[in-house]
Amino acid sequence: MSYQDLTLGEIATKLPRSTSLFLKLGLDFCCGGKQTLAAAAQAKGLDVSVIEASLAVIAEQPSESTRNWSEAPLAEIVDFIIPRYHNTHREQLPDLIMMAEKVESVHQDHPSCPKGLAYIVRKIYDDLMNHMMKEEQVLFPLIKSGRGPMAAMPISVMESEHDEAGRDLEDIQKLTNNLTPPEGACNTWLTLYAGLKTFSADLMEHVHLENNILFPRALRGDAP
């Protein structure tokens, strides 16, 4: 099967375990999920044939360990998103803010100090708390009640906020040399970047599940 003319979002939906490969390659399958694999690979200077070969291997492997949400009840998807992603983000971000502030304060004279990182992480926290509250109190109840086709406006707002979060993640990557700590970095610095990698991966998978699976199916009128 050829994947290069499919969008990253389509591939991630058809082949859920491809998201690990995309994360490793720095390919945005959530906010940038409408880009074809060929275009995304070209933009990153990657060999699309090598990526396709890796995807073919993934497709041949047993898939029992990874849930394919493309046919799951919408209510089940919502009930998965809240504890797995919403509650996880609520736990992750305060610690990341604290560590970013400490690194910037203690290592402000270091040439690799990520000055401004704490501000961006705090912004993401504030934005996400508001965003997730709106989903939980307004959008998700609409979807679970079978009124997804009536939710075009709130879904559009949520997707726009997802795009902004994606841009914030890009700013973090630029500020931290792709989350690569400098030689001799202290434990807080190492833990901060490791935590940001985990958070970034979680957020991308979270947005993918909403943008590419939950929202389109809700708007299509799939049964909750």
Side-chain angles (χ1 to χ4, degrees):
M1 175 180 179
S2 175
Y3 293 96
Q4 59 181 306
D5 293 328
L6 296 178
T7 67
L8 297 179
E10 288 172 335
I11 297 171
T13 300
K14 295 175 183 292
L15 201 58
R17 285 172 301 145
S18 64
T19 59
S20 295
L21 175 64
F22 291 158
L23 286 168
K24 181 179 178 181
L25 297 175
L27 297 175
D28 181 0
F29 56 90
C30 55
C31 300
K34 293 181 174 64
Q35 195 173 28
T36 65
L37 175 61
Q42 182 177 21
K44 287 280 187 178
L46 301 172
D47 187 335
V48 70
S49 64
V50 173
I51 301 174
E52 283 198 299
S54 298
L55 291 171
V57 171
I58 292 172
E60 292 173 0
Q61 295 172 348
S63 58
E64 290 82 0
S65 61
T66 303
R67 179 69 187 270
N68 188 333
W69 295 101
S70 59
E71 296 181 359
L74 301 186
E76 191 173 326
I77 298 175
V78 168
D79 290 342
F80 172 79
I81 286 173
I82 292 174
R84 172 60 184 90
Y85 295 116
H86 285 200
N87 293 347
T88 297
H89 297 332
R90 290 183 174 109
E91 293 175 359
Q92 291 168 319
L93 286 162
D95 287 343
L96 294 173
I97 293 170
M98 179 183 67
M99 287 188 287
E101 289 175 341
K102 182 176 180 180
V103 168
E104 287 189 63
S105 174
V106 174
H107 302 286
Q108 56 184 305
D109 295 328
H110 193 290
S112 296
C113 179
K115 296 177 181 177
L117 178 60
Y119 170 82
I120 297 174
V121 179
R122 194 181 302 107
K123 175 184 180 298
I124 292 174
Y125 174 77
D126 291 339
D127 290 348
L128 266 184
M129 294 308 105
N130 182 54
H131 174 89
M132 295 187 298
M133 180 185 68
K134 288 186 290 188
E135 287 188 332
E136 293 170 11
Q137 295 184 0
V138 179
L139 179 56
F140 287 171
L142 274 175
I143 292 174
K144 292 181 75 172
S145 67
R147 293 177 289 168
M150 300 171 57
M153 181 58 70
I155 284 176
S156 176
V157 172
M158 294 301 100
E159 289 178 333
S160 176
E161 292 178 0
H162 287 167
D163 289 343
E164 182 172 359
R167 290 190 290 271
D168 289 335
L169 289 184
E170 290 178 359
D171 289 341
I172 288 176
Q173 293 288 331
K174 294 173 184 175
L175 201 59
T176 62
N177 187 27
N178 294 317
L179 292 171
T180 305
E183 185 176 352
C186 69
N187 286 335
T188 299
W189 206 332
L190 295 172
T191 303
L192 169 62
Y193 281 15
L196 284 170
K197 283 183 180 179
T198 298
F199 167 73
S200 298
D202 283 344
L203 184 59
M204 290 184 71
E205 291 172 357
H206 172 191
V207 171
H208 158 66
L209 185 53
E210 292 185 354
N211 276 13
N212 299 322
I213 299 178
L214 178 63
F215 294 168
R217 290 187 56 199
L219 289 170
R220 194 167 62 224
D222 284 12

